[in-house]
Amino acid sequence: MSEDMNNDINKYFIGKVIRVDRGGPESRIGKLLDASEDHLCLLTEEDGVVYYNTKHIKSFTDKIKGKMEFNIEVPKDLKFNKADNFQDLLDSLKLKWVQINRGGPERLEGVISDVSKNFVSLVHNEECVRLSMFHIKNISHGVKVEKAESEKQKSGQNKKNKTKSSKKRPLHKTAVNDADLTNLLSSMEKFLRNYSKNK
């Protein structure tokens, strides 16, 4: 994405609902919360707050007539990470559970253990993945959209019922189970112990 395009985003699109890319697993519709020199922050229904590396954004779309569907009630005190650049953003997410990329074989989940200029280290189960910074298209952490009470009921409704259920849904913070976190930290400790022995 060019510098001029990035300046346009900052000037005209903060607070608006946009679509990032035209399709594919990385494409999302959401409210643009913030934009920096090399990344932007988008609140989405599917993944909550997603930080996009602008090097990988091919296009963004703003609907002139009407609005894109976006059924989230955004709390006034919504917190998200702000940073001058993408590397600093990743650094602010150290030791936090994240999802890198939205789909496909490059999608990863885990805890960021280290960030350098060229690589990010991500621990998941007993594996430590070193991922090239270039291949990080986007990253999410923290706030997610609360799902509908029953997906089955939703799919069985007719159009009239669908319009009634299109009210904005609140956000909730995703909780990592204490047992899962303990297991993860234990796995990280074992991995690092074995890693240091093999050095």
Side-chain angles (χ1 to χ4, degrees):
M1 185 177 282
S2 70
E3 193 175 328
D4 289 341
M5 197 179 204
N6 210 29
N7 290 335
D8 285 347
I9 289 173
N10 275 312
K11 280 185 192 173
Y12 306 113
F13 297 103
I14 301 273
K16 290 190 175 182
V17 176
I18 63 168
R19 182 201 311 259
V20 173
D21 291 339
R22 300 295 299 161
E26 309 304 326
S27 179
R28 290 289 184 272
I29 292 173
K31 181 172 275 194
L32 185 64
L33 300 176
D34 193 32
S36 185
E37 66 178 43
D38 62 356
H39 69 280
L40 57 84
C41 177
L42 194 72
L43 177 62
T44 69
E45 284 192 58
E46 299 94 330
D47 303 299
V49 177
V50 181
Y51 304 92
Y52 276 88
N53 183 344
T54 54
K55 289 175 186 172
H56 293 284
I57 295 176
K58 297 175 184 74
S59 68
F60 70 93
T61 307
D62 172 42
K63 194 167 183 181
I64 297 167
K65 290 184 179 178
K67 292 182 179 178
M68 291 184 190
E69 195 171 321
F70 182 72
N71 297 320
I72 298 176
E73 192 176 314
V74 184
K76 290 178 183 176
D77 62 344
L78 176 68
K79 291 180 182 176
F80 57 92
N81 292 45
K82 289 189 177 188
D84 291 334
N85 55 60
F86 198 62
Q87 185 179 337
D88 287 351
L89 173 73
L90 293 172
D91 209 43
S92 75
L93 295 172
K94 253 194 219 177
L95 302 179
K96 292 182 179 174
W97 186 272
V98 298
Q99 179 184 319
I100 292 175
N101 300 332
R102 302 301 93 201
E106 292 179 4
R107 180 182 179 273
L108 289 167
E109 285 188 7
V111 173
I112 293 180
S113 62
D114 191 34
V115 177
S116 68
K117 189 178 177 181
N118 298 313
F119 290 93
V120 169
S121 297
L122 195 74
V123 177
H124 181 66
N125 292 329
E126 292 189 19
E127 294 181 333
C128 183
V129 181
R130 290 189 76 219
L131 182 66
S132 168
M133 191 75 83
F134 176 77
H135 292 292
I136 300 176
K137 297 172 185 172
N138 51 65
I139 187 166
S140 62
H141 158 76
V143 179
K144 280 196 179 180
V145 176
E146 194 172 50
K147 297 293 180 189
E149 287 179 17
S150 170
E151 292 297 324
K152 289 177 185 176
Q153 286 178 354
K154 196 173 180 182
S155 62
Q157 290 175 339
N158 60 25
K159 287 181 183 177
K160 287 180 183 177
N161 289 336
K162 280 182 183 177
T163 55
K164 286 180 185 176
S165 68
S166 67
K167 291 179 182 175
K168 292 187 175 184
R169 296 171 289 185
L171 296 173
H172 76 284
K173 287 187 179 178
T174 53
V176 177
N177 189 320
D178 285 345
D180 290 343
L181 194 53
T182 304
N183 288 338
L184 178 66
L185 291 171
S186 173
S187 296
M188 282 175 71
E189 190 181 349
K190 285 178 191 173
F191 174 83
L192 293 171
R193 204 178 300 128
N194 290 336
Y195 181 77
S196 60
K197 282 179 187 175
N198 294 332
K199 265 192 165 183

